[in-house]
Amino acid sequence: MSFSQVRSGSLARQRDTAATALKVLGSDVPVVEDPRWNEYDHVDIALHHAGGAPQEDSRAYQGLLDAALTAWTSAGADGPCAETWPMFSARCRSALEDLVASLGKGEHAVVFTSGGVIATICGLLMGTPEAGLLKLNRVTVNGGITKLVS
């Protein structure tokens, strides 16, 4: 597949994945870094909605994070986190809308982002953003491929 645009969040793992993938593909399409593609701040969410749970036991932490994400989405704009759920979903939506609007007929783009962003965008496209995040976040992986057609 050829693509005319490349986007990446500003997180190191997103930038590094973009650089590695583009090198393997032999692509010279420049990466446009856009922090709107960054993951939600799981540490802040866990701090405010799960008492700052330690991450030593990943299985236990996942359960706490699931509960914290539910509380985060339920808190809405009044939530205590630096980035509320409405702010996060709005930035994901705007990143996608801007990218789609910039593409011409038949053009393709690739985005290097994170699982929470992908889950949220899929939820937005299905008309159920909260359910999308909460249901898809656990099964959407950072190293996966999600294809959207506009």
Side-chain angles (χ1 to χ4, degrees):
M1 168 182 273
S2 63
F3 43 88
S4 58
Q5 295 189 47
V6 179
R7 297 285 189 278
S8 170
S10 62
L11 301 176
R13 68 177 187 232
Q14 296 165 334
R15 293 189 324 262
D16 292 349
T17 302
T20 301
L22 295 173
K23 181 178 179 182
V24 168
L25 293 172
S27 174
D28 60 356
V29 177
V31 178
V32 176
E33 193 175 298
D34 182 344
R36 293 180 298 173
W37 293 104
N38 287 357
E39 184 64 283
Y40 54 75
D41 185 345
H42 72 281
V43 174
D44 191 42
I45 292 169
L47 174 68
H48 288 97
H49 294 289
Q55 299 181 39
E56 289 87 34
D57 179 354
S58 62
R59 198 171 286 247
Y61 184 76
Q62 185 62 55
L64 291 171
L65 181 60
D66 288 346
L69 288 171
T70 299
W72 181 53
T73 60
S74 296
D78 295 326
C81 293
E83 181 176 45
T84 64
W85 162 247
M87 292 165 66
F88 177 74
S89 61
R91 82 166 155 89
C92 293
R93 178 188 303 269
S94 71
L96 178 63
E97 288 174 348
D98 288 352
L99 178 58
V100 170
S102 73
L103 293 170
K105 183 176 174 105
E107 286 188 319
H108 299 91
V110 62
V111 177
F112 296 88
T113 186
S114 296
V117 174
I118 296 167
T120 298
I121 287 174
C122 289
L124 287 163
L125 294 172
M126 293 186 296
T128 57
E130 291 86 358
L133 173 68
L134 299 174
K135 296 288 186 189
L136 298 173
N137 190 58
R138 291 193 83 185
V139 297
T140 305
V141 295
N142 290 326
I145 296 174
T146 304
K147 180 178 179 179
L148 301 178
V149 178
S150 170

